Amino acid sequence: VVDQIRLWQIENERMKATPGFLFKDFESQKEYDGCVKYADEIGVLVWKNDGKRMFFVNRMEQLRDYIKSRKVK
Amino acid sequence: MPRAIRGVLVECDPSIKSIIMKIDSEDHAFVVEDLDDGTLVIKENMLSILKMRLDEALKETQQPPSDSGSD
């Protein structure tokens, strides 16, 4: 899997733009921790903020299936 | 249930980010989520427009002050 990460030179500054999905509004720390850990393991995690319980992934299909599978026991 | 929001994660210098926030404050057409000093999520279809606006803003700030000056 090749991730599309575009690098731009804007004047003297750099700006990195990564298309993907922001995950937010987790019900619990446990749910957040589980999802972040999974996203990291499958290599889609781009950014996270534990304090805000938000993270960004560049692909979501696998993660979405994982979240669904957690709901349906 | 967590929400997944489609967008483009932009990581940049805090000074660039503040310019983006200023551009967005006019019509709130770009920013989806303000994450931290150097990180934000913007609408995917607005990325190229934002880049243009940012280039314009940077050109303005980097021009030496003209002699119309302040008085």
Side-chain angles (χ1 to χ4, degrees):
Chain A
V1 178
V2 179
D3 300 323
Q4 284 195 327
I5 297 171
R6 295 170 209 154
L7 288 163
W8 280 326
Q9 190 80 33
I10 298 174
E11 300 293 330
N12 301 317
E13 308 285 349
R14 274 203 197 89
M15 179 168 127
K16 192 168 102 175
T18 312
F21 298 86
L22 178 73
F23 279 79
K24 60 184 285 195
D25 298 345
F26 287 91
E27 278 164 18
S28 66
Q29 188 65 41
K30 196 182 161 198
E31 185 183 37
Y32 169 80
D33 288 343
C35 290
V36 161
K37 189 163 170 281
Y38 183 74
D40 196 23
E41 279 170 6
I42 62 173
V44 300
L45 186 66
V46 180
W47 175 93
K48 71 182 173 90
N49 185 316
D50 293 339
K52 289 182 176 177
R53 281 191 198 162
M54 289 184 192
F55 65 89
F56 194 91
V57 297
N58 52 16
R59 294 173 62 84
M60 77 171 283
E61 295 82 3
Q62 247 179 296
L63 183 61
R64 190 185 51 205
D65 292 344
Y66 169 78
I67 291 170
K68 275 185 194 160
S69 72
R70 281 167 60 100
K71 296 284 165 194
V72 185
K73 293 278 161 71
Chain B
M1 190 71 176
R3 283 201 293 151
I5 304 162
R6 181 190 288 273
V8 177
L9 184 79
V10 173
E11 294 164 276
C12 57
D13 191 90
S15 61
I16 298 286
K17 197 216 152 193
S18 68
I19 299 170
I20 296 174
M21 295 311 288
K22 190 160 170 273
I23 293 168
D24 184 67
S25 70
E26 288 166 21
D27 46 14
H28 301 287
F30 300 96
V31 176
V32 174
E33 191 86 36
D34 181 3
L35 296 174
D36 63 36
D37 276 356
T39 321
L40 69 166
V41 175
I42 64 159
K43 289 174 192 167
E44 201 169 24
N45 58 343
M46 299 300 276
L47 184 61
S48 56
I49 299 168
L50 179 65
K51 188 180 173 285
M52 263 168 41
R53 297 276 297 270
L54 194 54
D55 279 335
E56 284 167 17
L58 284 167
K59 270 177 204 150
E60 278 170 27
T61 55
Q62 286 181 0
Q63 268 166 13
S66 64
D67 59 6
S68 59
S70 55
D71 58 355

